[in-house]
Amino acid sequence: MDKIVVEGGAQLKGEIRISGAKNAALPIMAATLLSPGKFLLSNVPRLRDVLTMEHVLRVLGAQVTHHDHSITVDTTNCNYHEAPYELVKTMRASICVLGPVLARLGRARVSLPGGCAWGPRPVDFHIKAMRDLGATVEIDHGYIVAEAKRLKGASIVFEKSSVGATENAMMAATLADGTTVIENAASEPEISALANFLRSMGAVIDGDGTGTITIEGADELRSADVNVVPDRIEAGTFMVAAAITRGDVLIMGADIAQCGAVVSKLREAGVEIIAVEDGIRVRGPERLESVNVTTAPYPGFPTDMQAQFMALMSVAGGSSVVTDTVYADRFSHVPELRRLGADITMDRNVAVVTGVEHLSGAKVMATDLRASAALILAGLVAEGTTEVSRVYHIDRGYEAIEKKLSGLGAHIWREKAAA
Ligand code: EPZ
């Protein structure tokens, strides 16, 4: 398995461009299953998770080709309704084919996703939504088995905000008979990106980006092309990279309007953040201030930035309290940050981070996507060499992160595992 090696100490300077958003591209790829035809998706990030979703689409009968950052999907002959365990276990987001396949074919058999590095991640809201829309849904030998001759518009009320369940419900409802209203819907920007794509396919959707989304079902949709929106979590990760190294970085293609909670917390920590034409300029202070942060559904502080922000706070002055209310146990990065010298104590879903004068390089292990980003960020300032193993985790969600960081002056490279 490859590893990424970082020599700490460089101040990042220069300009990088943000890739397309993984968490917008994946549901959009699934949405192509709703209609036969040819789709051109551009500004798609080159990530392991995107390749996995391409594979899922092929298993379901689509023809998929990619060239550079564009993907063409031909769903004309999609007639297979099963997403196998072997694929779903590698990427939970595969669950978002459930709604489209059920709506298009009248039946779907999708493996229950495996657990994750941070606890079981249930899919009960997804199942509830399909049942609300009139499908029969059973669990059979580890698979979700759903059937409905034609889904019926319904009122769907989620007990808590769920990005994936909102996406599955919205996609399925576009082909239902009648009107669907989703209450307590997630309002992340990726939901609106998906809704925009569905509208370009002929769907009638209102309210995306708010807690209530209304969908008028259609008998059929059409193919469409799409340019994937920029990745706000990659943008936040590079903001932290600039901040933690006292650097001065231009993050091009980032939409500051989608990064409000992260920008606000970084400014509280003393980081200078300026919106510029087509991007964000970030300058790190000589001394970072400790800041408390609690994650929440959008527009709150994203759980996907919790690990990265914790790395930043590990070298700030004072103590900060980091609370994750979205996932109670998304802290697998803590033991690894401690190996780098971070002073972090834990109590359930609350971490207290006491800033230290300096971190020191060590061998550490990536455990999940955002935890591995946090370890690389810490390595940028740790004295000496940090080796992050199992970087396949980071390749799931960051396109060539070591190349982008070395382009900003970081001393970072990838070492291929011995064959
Ligand atoms: C999406 O996952 C993102 N993934 C995650 O990003 C992100 O962390 C998460 O939303 C929260 O923002 C993609 O978009 C591909 P949820 P998702 O359903 O949809 C509970 C990354 O790093 N829940 O919004 O799976 C769940 O356990 C990834 O890019 C249920 O209880 O997340 C969690 O506590 C990691 N039952 C909360 O809701 C359900 O049926 C929010 O989860 C579904 C979710």
Side-chain angles (χ1 to χ4, degrees), residues 327-339:
Y327 295 106
D329 47 6
R330 192 180 189 172
F331 292 101
S332 57
H333 44 285
V334 170
E336 301 303 314
L337 287 172
R338 284 186 184 133
R339 282 183 50 73

Side-chain angles (χ1 to χ4, degrees), residues 155-172:
S155 162
I156 300 172
V157 182
F158 287 123
E159 64 182 85
K160 80 190 237 190
S161 173
S162 162
V163 172
T166 300
E167 290 166 344
N168 247 330
M170 196 162 68
M171 288 188 280

Side-chain angles (χ1 to χ4, degrees), residues 22-23 92 122-125 162-164 304 326-327 330 370:
K22 166 177 82 79
N23 292 349
R92 171 191 167 83
V123 288
D124 51 329
F125 299 164
S162 162
V163 172
D304 291 352
V326 178
Y327 295 106
R330 192 180 189 172
R370 307 303 175 183

